[in-house]
Amino acid sequence: MIRNMTSWTIFIFGMSGDLAKRQIIPALYALFQIRKKTGHIFTIIGAGHDASTVEAIIDSSKPFIEKIDEQTLSDFVDACSYYHVDFDNPQNFADFVKHIMMQKDALSDNRLAYMAVPADYFCSLTKALTAAHVLERGNTQHHIVYEKPFGWDRNSAQEINGCIAHVIDQNQIYRIDHYLTKGLVSNIILMRFSNIIFEPVWNHSHIDHVEIILDESIGIEGRGSYYDRYGALKDVVQNHMLQMLALIAMEEPKSIDEKDIEEKKVEVLKQVKIKEVVLGQYEGYQKEPAVNPQSTTETFVACKLTIDLPRWLNVPFYLRTGKNLNQKLTAIIITFKEMKSCFIKTADQCAPNVLTITMSPDEGFRLLLNAKKPYSADEVTTAAMDFCYSCLFGPETPQAYVTLLQSIFAGDHSVSVSSQEIDYQWSIIDAIKAHSFPILPYKKNSQGPAAAIKLLSQKDHV
Ligand code: BG6
């Protein structure tokens, strides 16, 4: 079947940077490969701080590109152009924009500007692009994407939101969080509200505690100048982890419309209370390239939070993330309360039911149940019910950034976080930062600082 093709001009600001190399370019290549199937064709105009070339940039992306076909890659390179631009120099950026607009007949009606640059540039670049009509306010074919972290604290996020609201409409804006496109994250709402076995027990009467884990075995991977300024709290807790918490804890939305979901997530985020925090830094971090040798930036966070809502009375939510840990695991673990059983004579309680939703490494979920041990009258064993996503739907579930770009092409705002959510997410981080918790050292390839292991094994009520 031959589809009508929709052509796009995609601008990538920060094309020579790390995010473009690891995520955006590989995702665009994957979409370029299937362009005849999706009907979306595009050309890419990139700009960045480095004096580089399209060939060199795409070459550096190669290790992150799946299934390279040399002919397709060469066609992809032909569809890209790159300009060395100094974003700190308004005149230099204005000259670049002028140059682009001199060839405006070559631009598609559908335009997407991707801000893969630090949030410091969001306001000035958006103003310059709209002033020159690269993006026109009110033109629903023109979109702008802002990478996370959106700002570096609540004040900065509010200022940026105020600035961009003057020049572009909300429905043209995507403040993205790539976790929202991960298969199982987007499945959380569906799973909670379309299975009658979950919703009636999804509360403090039945749930003992919730763990949200984003452990990484990788380090900062040459991103020292970015990471040292942000740290784990701003890099992943402010966004990915608080979004997972909001989805797990929110009330049922009126519909799956993003406005209804956002309203319910906000109700949760504004009631988060901080109980305990452990921050850590892996040994050797201060010697990483582009990191301050006296740096006090945290590369590990473990915290205990509660949510001041009737549904979650006294239920602790434990969050843990860190770089250079002993495992790569992204998961949400919901431990239900233990149950007395007259059946078991060998113990007072049955083991708790545990629901684990795993995003990485293997997408899926697992429910632990108690079952009778075969050939025994009163012995209990744990039976696991597994749902393996890749076993059912194949190993090629789309990468988060591919889904993200496809959602934007389709005008789907569910991958975007609202300014209100961002506001509350920053309030939580600002409040943790204000405490100046000590930064405890931990060994690479470990579970993090000992104090965190203790905190996470308490699992008591608050
Ligand atoms: C990014 C962070 O947003 O998320 C990285 O900047 C982190 O530091 C990454 O490694 C984790 O994402 P994923 O999809 O690999 O779990």
Side-chain angles (χ1 to χ4, degrees), residues 148 178-179 182 214 216 218 223 226 235-236 240 323 328 330:
K148 51 108 319 223
H178 80 271
Y179 261 60
K182 286 191 186 263
L214 201 164
E216 296 192 275
I218 55 168
R223 297 159 74 211
Y226 157 78
D235 183 42
V236 295
H240 308 328
K323 296 280 187 196
K328 162 77 181 157
T330 310

Side-chain angles (χ1 to χ4, degrees), residues 243-258:
Q243 279 293 316
M244 289 194 273
L245 174 130
L247 290 166
I248 283 293
M250 70 184 207
E251 295 299 319
E252 184 167 7
K254 273 203 295 277
S255 75
I256 55 156
D257 186 88
E258 67 258 3

Side-chain angles (χ1 to χ4, degrees), residues 83-108:
Y83 297 84
H84 177 200
V85 181
D86 181 0
F87 300 134
D88 288 312
N89 178 340
Q91 189 53 50
N92 189 243
F93 192 73
D95 290 345
F96 159 73
V97 172
K98 203 160 131 202
H99 173 76
I100 297 295
M101 288 313 276
M102 270 159 51
Q103 309 156 44
K104 68 170 182 295
D105 292 345
L107 302 181
S108 302

Side-chain angles (χ1 to χ4, degrees), residues 124 218 370 419 429:
S124 60
I218 55 168
N370 290 304
S419 54
I429 302 304

Side-chain angles (χ1 to χ4, degrees), residues 81 116 149 224 296 385 392 398 432:
S81 50
T296 53
M385 287 176 67
L392 207 62
I432 296 179

